Structure formats: C-alpha cells, structure tokens
C-alpha cells in the first residue's frame, strides 16, 4: 500500500469522510454519526461516524473494524478526507486502516483473496488543506508501527509446531540485520556456562533447547538506556502441574511479552529513536517428559537466589528472573521494564480492557499510564507493597515461585520478579495476559493483538522529549 498526502481528490477514488456526533451534515440523510455508523452518500463517497469525542482506542477500532469487514472488496484507491483532522488523529486512523488488512489465513491451502488495496497496487491518499511535515511524519509512524504490529501478530498466531525458541531467535537475527541493530543469541551451552539455572529448569521437559535473545539498538547519540525483558514461552502445557485441556491450544500465545519486545526494538530502530534500547528475551517451551521440572524441586537462578518450585505452571516468572538479573548485571539500564502474559489473576482483576502495572516508582507509573491512555493500550496500577513479600517466603529455599492461594496472584508474581531486579529504582512489570491475545475482529475466537508495541513507542518518545 502506498500512502501520500494530496491536495485534491481524484474522481476515480473512493472518498472517505469522517464525522463526530453533533457535526454531521444534517439529519435529512438519516446519518447520526454514531460510532462506526456507515452511510454511502454516493457510490464514490462513504461517510463514517466516530461517535462523541472518540478516544484513540475507539478510533483505531472503528477503522480497523471497517476495513477488516470489507477487506475483500475495497477500491484500489481510497482517499481519506483529513482536512479537519490533527496529525495525531491521522496517525491513529492510518494505523487502524492498515491493521484492518491483517490476514489470519497463515496456513490455509486456499486462502480467500484480499482487496488489492492492501497490496503493492493499493493507494491510500490523505486529503489535506496543505502538505505538512507533521502529517507526513504521522503517516510514516503509523505505517511503520502497523507493519511491525502485523509481524508480531503473525508470531503470536503461529502454532507451536511452527514457533519454537529458535524461531524467535531467527526472527530477531533477521530483523537486526535488516534494521541495523545487534543481536546475540545465547544457546543452551552458553546458558549452562553462565548459570541460567531457572531458564534451563523450565526447559528440561522439552526437546526444543532454550535460548536467551539479547538485542541492542544503539543510536549515534543518546542519554538514556532502557531495557525491556519479555517472556518467551512458545508453548505452555503447565509442565507437571499440567493445565486443563479445554483452552491449552491458546498457550501458543504465551510469548506475548517476547513479541512486544521484539517489535519495539525493531520499530525503535526503524524510527531512529534517540534512546539506547536493550531487548532481552528468555525463551523456552514448558513441556512434560520424564526430565521435566517437578513441584517441590529447588532450583538455582542467574541472580544467585534459590527457588522452591511449588507450581511448574508458574514458569514465566522463573525465566523472567534470569532475564531481569542478566539485564541489571550486564547493562545497568536507567529504566527496566518486563512484559509477560503472566497470570490468570490479572484477567480476573482487570478483564481484557487493561494490563496490570506494577512498580514502586510513582514517576515511572505515571509515564507508562499516560502513554497507555494516549495509545489506547491501557494500564492499571496495582500495589507491590512489601507486605506481600511473605507470600513467597520458603522454608527450604530463598523464595518460592507460587503461594498457592486464590488471591493476589498477579501481585505475588510481581513481588517474585522484584526480587531479581537488585532493587532497581525504575523497574516496572506489565502483566499483559488479558490484552496480548484476545477477542477481536481478526478471528471468530482469540488472536494476537501486538499489545505493547504502540504503548512502548509512546513511552519511549515521551521519555526522550522529557529528558
């Protein structure tokens, strides 16, 4: 798809006009401009209602839904009337339009064809009063962000027989080569020599060897280093503490944190953001065989602490423990953020509308929350008070990975992770279990959302501007 600013709409293009409620051109057309309402003013002009004072999340969904539902029958050329839209709105709308062309038919032998609009011959024209650098930059950001999100969604939606830790590693290597950032893959023998005992313990039941993916984007000038650590469990059976079979097929999505980290490093490199970014992804399968880690086992960790394994299905926090300790020891980042599809508890608390935010740092909490509100990838802060620390105390080891109680599960998981941050002053944990893989228009069931890519991009941009 080619996207460009224009000053006058051609006759052979479909004109798409948007209206907020209260600004519609008249009730004689029976058009109320309600959210998502469509009105064919003519065969070449489509009106779209945005509702009352639409937020970012609503705008994206309106356009994503519209373009997805008609993705097999759009005109090759579409003109968006953006003369009354801000550059920020243009960015959001263009992002939604491109995502509307997402194709989930990854492994169908005879996929249904998409409109040529979403291919190389398609044209999206942005009708403006006058061309501006701000609108041009918004279009560029929207396009690059959406294409990265689509790549992340493909990873999320891939089944485990097409997605192993080695798959994620190769994705990072290829991306680093194409986008000029460094990638180091720590293989199983490296992990053994380094003492990544927690990651290795989780991997014991799988034939697929674990890896630690380390990506480094370093701009020419920067004043801040931010490290992201993403959970990369490419399939999670629960291990010996095996999950119920009913929804186990959805556990191909248990690398949502890894997807967000892979995506933001690639996007930051493409946008040339002036901040050094470290992306660390401990990756493994959590499978079952005679060698698998067992409940009651005591394992080591890269940070030196011993861990009593109460539940092998609480494996994500184990591999993140090694990833966090590695980030702190080798990179001393100014900010440390981990992302993980970690607990069902956070879904019970927040549903599918927001991810859980855990940090003792008020300023960092505010920056992330503001970024989430602006992008529509929302966060809600939950406490990490020291009173919860007793829930992970162990009689036999330094700590245990699960408290075994039907309460405060997401908080206790965050307290466990905090123990491996060396009391980092600017650490945050994002539990994205309810937002990374959810019900949307892309599939009749659940599918990847690429949650976190836009959130982290906005956070990084704001962090640089406030520096």
């Amino acid at each position: 798809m080619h996207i460009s600013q224009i000053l006058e709409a051609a006759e052979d293009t479909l004109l798409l006009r948007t209206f907020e409620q209260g600004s519609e051109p008249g009730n004689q057309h029976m058009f109320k401009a309600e959210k998502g309402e469509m009105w064919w003013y003519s065969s070449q002009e489509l009106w779209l209602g945005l509702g009352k004072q639409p937020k970012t999340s609503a705008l994206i969904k309106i356009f994503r839904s519209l373009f997805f539902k008609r993705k097999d029958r759009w005109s090759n050329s579409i003109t968006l009337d953006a003369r009354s839209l801000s550059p920020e709105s243009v960015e959001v709308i263009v992002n939604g339009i491109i995502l509307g062309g997402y194709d989930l038919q990854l492994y169908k032998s005879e996929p249904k064809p998409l409109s040529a609009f979403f291919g190389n011959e398609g044209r999206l024209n942005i009708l403006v009063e006058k061309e501006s650098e701000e609108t041009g930059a918004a279009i560029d950001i929207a396009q690059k962000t959406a294409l990265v999100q689509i790549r992340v969604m493909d990873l999320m939606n891939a089944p485990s027989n097409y997605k192993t830790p080695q798959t994620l590693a190769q994705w990072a290597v290829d991306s680093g080569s194409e986008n000029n950032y460094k990638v180091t893959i720590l293989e199983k023998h490296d992990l053994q020599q380094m003492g990544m005992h927690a990651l290795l313990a989780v991997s014991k039941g799988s034939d697929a060897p674990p890896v630690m993916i380390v990506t480094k984007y370093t701009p020419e000038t920067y004043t801040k280093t931010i490290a992201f650590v993403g959970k990369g469990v490419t399939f999670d059976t629960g291990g010996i503490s095996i999950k119920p079979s009913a929804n186990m097929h959805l556990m191909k999505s248990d690398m949502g944190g890894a997807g967000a980290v892979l995506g933001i490093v690639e996007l930051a490199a493409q946008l040339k953001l002036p901040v050094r970014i470290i992306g660390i992804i401990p990756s493994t399968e959590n499978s079952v065989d005679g060698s698998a880690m067992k409940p009651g086992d005591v394992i080591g960790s890269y940070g030196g602490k011993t861990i009593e394994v109460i539940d092998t299905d609480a494996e994500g926090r184990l591999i993140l423990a090694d990833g966090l300790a590695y980030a702190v020891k080798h990179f001393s980042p100014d900010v440390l953020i981990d992302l993980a599809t970690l607990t069902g508890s956070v879904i019970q608390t927040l549903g599918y509308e927001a991810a859980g935010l855990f940090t003792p740092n008020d300023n960092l909490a505010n920056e992330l929350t503001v970024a989430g509100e602006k992008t529509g990838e929302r966060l809600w802060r939950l406490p990490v008070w020291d009173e919860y620390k007793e829930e992970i105390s162990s009689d036999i080891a330094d700590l245990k990975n699960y408290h075994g109680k039907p309460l405060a599960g997401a908080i206790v998981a965050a307290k466990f992770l905090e123990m491996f941050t060396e009391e980092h002053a600017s650490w945050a944990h994002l539990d994205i279990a309810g937002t990374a893989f959810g019900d949307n228009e892309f599939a009749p069931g659940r599918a990847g959302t690429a949650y976190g890519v836009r959130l982290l991009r906005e956070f990084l941009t704001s962090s640089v501007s406030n520096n």
Side-chain angles (χ1 to χ4, degrees), residues 181-202:
Y181 63 87
K182 293 183 179 180
V183 178
T184 302
I185 307 300
L186 302 176
E187 306 284 357
K188 184 175 182 179
H189 61 88
D190 301 311
L191 303 177
Q192 290 170 333
Q193 291 178 357
M194 298 175 69
M196 296 279 184
H197 300 299
L199 173 56
L200 288 163
V202 174

Side-chain angles (χ1 to χ4, degrees), residues 6-259:
I6 61 171
L7 299 176
E8 186 175 348
E11 294 183 359
D12 61 346
T13 185
L14 172 65
L15 180 64
L16 176 59
R17 299 181 64 194
T18 62
F19 299 92
E20 292 187 25
Q21 268 186 290
S23 66
E24 67 273 13
N27 291 334
Q28 68 270 26
H29 297 293
M30 301 299 292
F31 178 71
K32 306 297 185 184
E34 295 176 349
K35 185 168 69 175
E37 180 184 359
M38 289 195 311
W39 178 274
W40 286 97
Y41 179 74
S42 70
S43 61
Q44 290 298 109
E45 185 170 330
L46 174 63
W47 293 358
L48 180 63
L50 304 181
K52 294 180 180 179
Q53 299 179 331
K55 295 183 178 180
T56 295
S57 56
L59 275 180
I60 289 179
K61 189 167 185 177
I62 289 168
F63 281 87
R64 198 176 61 193
S65 298
L66 172 66
F67 276 79
F68 183 82
K69 290 173 181 176
R70 295 177 48 85
K71 66 179 181 178
D72 59 343
R73 54 189 187 275
W74 285 110
S75 303
N76 286 11
S77 177
I78 298 175
T79 297
L80 171 69
D81 187 349
R83 289 173 292 186
S84 62
L85 298 174
S86 66
E88 291 79 11
S89 294
V90 169
E91 185 265 309
V92 170
I93 290 171
V94 170
N95 181 269
I97 290 173
I98 297 173
L99 291 182
Y102 180 68
D103 188 5
L104 187 58
Q105 305 174 93
L106 300 177
Y107 307 102
K108 285 185 177 287
S109 56
E110 296 181 2
K112 296 178 181 178
L114 299 182
S115 166
F117 171 73
F118 294 110
N120 293 331
E121 302 302 317
R123 296 199 65 86
L124 175 60
N125 308 303
I126 310 299
L127 181 61
V128 293
E129 292 285 358
K130 61 179 181 178
E131 292 189 26
S132 72
E133 291 184 4
E134 291 82 2
T135 301
I139 293 169
D140 181 62
I141 291 171
Q143 189 167 26
K144 288 176 177 174
T145 302
L147 294 178
V148 169
Q149 288 176 288
I150 286 171
R151 280 168 48 75
V152 171
M153 288 191 289
D154 280 349
L155 269 182
M156 290 285 295
N157 293 324
S160 65
N161 59 323
Y162 284 86
K163 179 177 60 188
T164 65
Q166 289 67 39
T167 307
L168 301 189
Q170 191 59 53
W171 194 102
V173 169
D174 293 342
S175 175
S177 177
E178 293 172 9
N179 297 287
N180 196 31
Y181 63 87
K182 293 183 179 180
V183 178
T184 302
I185 307 300
L186 302 176
E187 306 284 357
K188 184 175 182 179
H189 61 88
D190 301 311
L191 303 177
Q192 290 170 333
Q193 291 178 357
M194 298 175 69
M196 296 279 184
H197 300 299
L199 173 56
L200 288 163
V202 174
S203 75
K204 286 170 60 179
S206 173
D207 289 336
V211 296
M212 181 84 80
I213 304 165
V214 182
T215 61
K216 297 176 242 183
Y217 161 66
T218 306
E220 291 184 3
T221 59
Y222 65 91
T223 58
K224 183 179 288 188
T225 296
I226 298 180
F228 297 112
V229 182
K231 173 186 173 184
V233 176
T234 55
F235 193 80
D236 181 17
T237 67
I240 298 295
S241 308
I242 198 162
K243 294 177 179 290
S245 61
N247 291 313
M248 194 189 291
H249 64 286
L250 300 178
M251 289 300 100
K252 65 182 182 179
S253 69
D254 211 16
M255 36 61 65

Side-chain angles (χ1 to χ4, degrees), residues 307-326:
I307 305 165
E308 182 185 8
V309 178
I310 302 299
D311 191 328
T312 64
D313 194 24
E315 87 296 335
R317 65 200 70 180
L318 297 177
I319 70 171
L320 285 172
D322 279 355
L324 287 165
Y326 182 86

